[in-house]
Amino acid sequence: MKKIMFNDRYGLTKAVLEGRKTMTRRIIKPQPIEFLCVEKSPDRYMEIIQEDDLALRIKSHYKVGEVVAVAQSYENIGMDGSAQLFEKDMSGYYTRTDLCKGWRNKMFVRSDLMPHKIRITSIRAERLQDISDEECLREGVGVSATDNLVGFPIAIPFNYYIGRDEKGYRYVTPREAFSVLIDKISGRGTWQSNPYVWVYEFELIK
């Protein structure tokens, strides 16, 4: 089973587990040169077909219907630090869980030990800036009711925030909030460069 990582600093893992985040965009690597279309391969992955017959097809990392583990550190899922769940090391002794790299770093955890999983329900490819306001919310942008913003000429019923900023810095539109979020996650200038991305829709398996 594969695993997938969501950003903890901006609350995206929490949003997935609460059912608020049901979509994720991942930058396609390598970027297509002459994008023609996307087709489903026999093994249910999605492939980008390019106009140049010599260009490589670019395959999605996940496939439709695949069940994927949500990566969390062993410490965060409440695993017993003294548990000896791993293969023996070269000296012949089992490794304690709290001495493993995955104790605080979810990059190194075993997917079969993760308690939460998602199922990929849909995959497509598009430009990053093709995202809609509704999809920004499905990506984990928060929304809260608000009074009139100071200095704003008209009253607006809602404002938008990222991560834990509900009472801090807020944005007027979902797209504005998402553009800031993707730059913080994928690097400054990502939104402006408007790369091709895989759009994965998923459901949380309870």
Side-chain angles (χ1 to χ4, degrees), residues 45-57:
Y45 289 93
M46 302 303 291
E47 290 184 328
I48 290 179
I49 314 301
Q50 302 192 68
E51 293 180 355
D52 184 351
D53 291 338
L54 299 179
L56 294 175
R57 292 189 174 195

Side-chain angles (χ1 to χ4, degrees), residues 36-51:
L36 179 60
C37 65
V38 177
E39 293 180 353
K40 185 182 292 185
S41 65
D43 54 2
R44 294 183 298 168
Y45 289 93
M46 302 303 291
E47 290 184 328
I48 290 179
I49 314 301
Q50 302 192 68
E51 293 180 355

Side-chain angles (χ1 to χ4, degrees), residues 22-166:
T22 58
M23 177 178 283
T24 185
R25 282 160 169 75
R26 306 291 164 118
I27 297 174
I28 295 174
K29 297 179 181 179
Q31 283 283 288
I33 300 173
E34 295 179 327
F35 189 107
L36 179 60
C37 65
V38 177
E39 293 180 353
K40 185 182 292 185
S41 65
D43 54 2
R44 294 183 298 168
Y45 289 93
M46 302 303 291
E47 290 184 328
I48 290 179
I49 314 301
Q50 302 192 68
E51 293 180 355
D52 184 351
D53 291 338
L54 299 179
L56 294 175
R57 292 189 174 195
I58 305 172
K59 182 179 286 189
S60 61
H61 186 68
Y62 306 104
K63 60 185 177 182
V64 177
E66 185 171 13
V67 174
V68 184
V70 178
Q72 296 176 272
S73 69
Y74 296 134
E75 183 180 39
N76 282 347
I77 64 175
M79 186 173 286
D80 182 358
S82 62
Q84 298 174 331
L85 300 174
F86 298 86
E87 301 294 332
K88 291 182 179 179
D89 59 22
M90 294 182 63
S91 63
Y93 293 96
Y94 288 99
T95 304
R96 284 171 53 106
T97 307
D98 59 1
L99 298 179
C100 294
K101 292 181 179 179
W103 181 247
R104 288 196 171 95
N105 190 336
K106 63 184 181 181
M107 183 180 294
F108 300 103
V109 300
R110 279 172 41 185
S111 58
D112 61 309
L113 297 179
M114 296 296 99
H116 304 289
K117 299 173 179 63
I118 60 172
R119 179 182 290 109
I120 306 297
T121 58
S122 175
I123 304 173
R124 69 177 188 270
E126 65 183 24
R127 289 285 191 179
L128 179 62
Q129 292 184 18
D130 290 340
I131 190 170
S132 67
D133 283 350
E134 178 187 359
E135 290 174 342
C136 289
L137 300 181
R138 293 182 60 192
E139 281 275 3
V141 168
V143 57
S144 62
T146 181
D147 296 324
N148 187 25
L149 296 181
V150 176
F152 201 73
I154 60 174
I156 57 176
F158 302 104
N159 57 31
Y160 305 91
Y161 61 92
I162 59 176
R164 303 177 179 85
D165 285 342
E166 183 173 1

